């Protein structure tokens, strides 16, 4: 449908959880306010619906991938008040896909990731006792500061899998965020999880543009994939449980 000159995409969910669409709208506006990456415009939002700009899709190109990498670095550099901070205009928890997403602030990224990205999902994940022990060790290492660095909180999309990256005739546009203050590698790791086109070019352009990536950031990708894999374990079960444990084991190997 069209409203004025804008082609509109409308999502409707009867009896949606409170704030389900409002926090999505807040995230889209918070990301879009930077003016770095194109973000679908919010047209209208209510308790059971959201209407956003429909982005015309096109084939991925190397040039647009490189632009996206640089623009994503600029988006992240716009920053956030703290790790775990919700998007501006929102003061409650959010959602990642169909799963709840705690939006609670912590002074360090490691504490935030352990307390609000691993622990809340572990009990509902269906992972066996041996796997839970691995994830609990990882949470302890995170909370102790093992994986902390000097990077300030970034303004991240939070659910940057390939389905939320739309290739348009003029470049990449983003939809469906779980936006919050987080670590830059989290978005980069999510891009790598589900086969984003032109991933190598995106990552390379991002790394050239960013002043906040540690030299060994690629080794940290499995650490940042633990949370989305846990979310998938909660929602879908199956092989995502083993993948989450494997990613945690790979991260722990870096801790020594």
């Amino acid at each position: 449908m069209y409203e004025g000159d804008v082609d509109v995409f409308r999502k409707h969910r009867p009896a949606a959880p409170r704030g389900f669409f409002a926090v999505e709208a807040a995230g889209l506006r918070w990301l879009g306010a930077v003016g770095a990456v194109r973000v679908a415009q919010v047209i209208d939002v209510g308790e059971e619906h959201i209407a956003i700009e429909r982005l015309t899709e096109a084939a991925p190109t190397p040039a647009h991938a490189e632009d996206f990498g640089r623009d994503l670095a600029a988006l992240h550099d716009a920053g956030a008040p703290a790790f775990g901070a919700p998007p501006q205009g929102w003061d409650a928890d959010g959602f990642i896909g169909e799963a709840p997403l705690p939006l609670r602030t912590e002074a360090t990224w490691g504490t935030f990731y352990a307390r609000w990205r691993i622990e809340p999902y572990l009990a509902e994940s269906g992972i066996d006792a041996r796997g839970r022990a691995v994830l609990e060790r990882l949470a302890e290492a995170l909370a102790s500061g093992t994986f902390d660095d000097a990077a300030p909180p970034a303004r991240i999309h939070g659910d940057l899998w390939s389905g939320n990256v739309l290739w348009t005739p003029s470049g990449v546009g983003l939809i469906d965020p779980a936006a919050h203050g987080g670590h830059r590698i989290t978005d980069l790791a999510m891009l790598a999880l589900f086969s984003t086109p032109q991933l190598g070019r995106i990552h390379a352009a991002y790394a050239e543009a960013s002043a906040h990536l540690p030299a060994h950031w690629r080794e940290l990708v499995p650490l940042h994939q633990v949370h989305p894999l846990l979310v998938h374990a909660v929602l879908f079960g199956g092989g995502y449980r083993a993948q989450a444990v494997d990613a945690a084991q790979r991260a722990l190997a870096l801790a020594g």
Side-chain angles (χ1 to χ4, degrees):
M1 63 175 292
Y2 285 84
E3 290 195 11
D5 295 329
V6 179
D7 189 6
V8 176
F9 177 77
R10 183 178 293 270
K11 293 191 292 184
H12 183 256
R13 179 177 174 181
R18 184 174 183 180
F20 186 81
F21 290 115
V23 66
E24 178 182 344
L28 288 167
R29 290 169 176 145
W30 190 54
L31 299 176
V34 179
V37 183
R38 182 180 181 183
V39 179
Q41 175 187 354
V42 178
I43 306 301
D44 181 50
V45 63
E47 284 298 318
E48 296 186 343
H49 78 278
I50 187 171
I52 63 172
E53 170 192 12
R54 185 190 297 272
L55 302 180
T56 301
E57 296 190 59
T61 69
H64 287 162
E66 291 168 4
D67 288 343
F68 176 47
R70 290 186 288 268
D71 293 345
L72 184 62
L75 173 62
H76 288 167
D77 285 347
F83 294 111
Q88 186 176 14
W90 187 254
D91 60 2
D93 290 338
F95 298 88
I96 180 166
E98 300 293 313
L101 183 74
L103 297 175
R104 318 289 177 88
T105 61
E106 298 290 347
T108 65
W109 178 78
T111 299
F112 159 72
Y113 198 68
R115 185 171 295 171
W116 302 115
R117 293 295 177 265
I118 292 180
E119 294 173 4
Y121 300 89
L122 193 50
E124 304 298 324
S125 67
I127 293 172
D128 62 23
R130 184 175 180 180
R132 288 199 304 273
V134 172
L135 286 151
E136 287 165 358
R137 288 199 302 273
L138 178 60
E140 290 171 3
L142 283 157
S144 73
T146 298
F147 296 99
D148 286 331
D149 56 35
R155 187 174 305 202
I156 69 172
H157 180 281
D159 192 12
L160 200 59
W161 72 288
S162 58
N164 291 336
V165 177
L166 301 187
W167 301 82
T168 80
S170 59
V172 166
L174 302 182
I175 60 171
D176 292 351
H180 62 279
H183 199 293
R184 288 155 176 79
I185 300 175
T186 296
D187 273 352
L188 300 179
M190 196 69 165
L191 286 169
L193 193 55
F194 296 115
S195 302
T196 300
Q198 304 283 345
L199 180 64
R201 290 182 181 272
I202 296 169
H203 277 177
Y206 184 103
E208 289 180 3
S210 177
H212 296 291
L213 278 181
H216 65 303
W217 71 270
R218 292 180 186 276
E219 298 176 13
L220 295 168
V221 164
L223 170 64
H224 290 260
Q225 291 177 338
V226 170
H227 172 245
L229 289 169
L230 281 175
V231 171
H232 279 69
V234 170
L235 293 177
F236 308 115
Y240 291 114
R241 296 169 181 145
Q243 289 182 53
V245 174
D246 178 67
Q249 289 174 322
R250 292 165 66 189
L252 282 170
L254 297 175

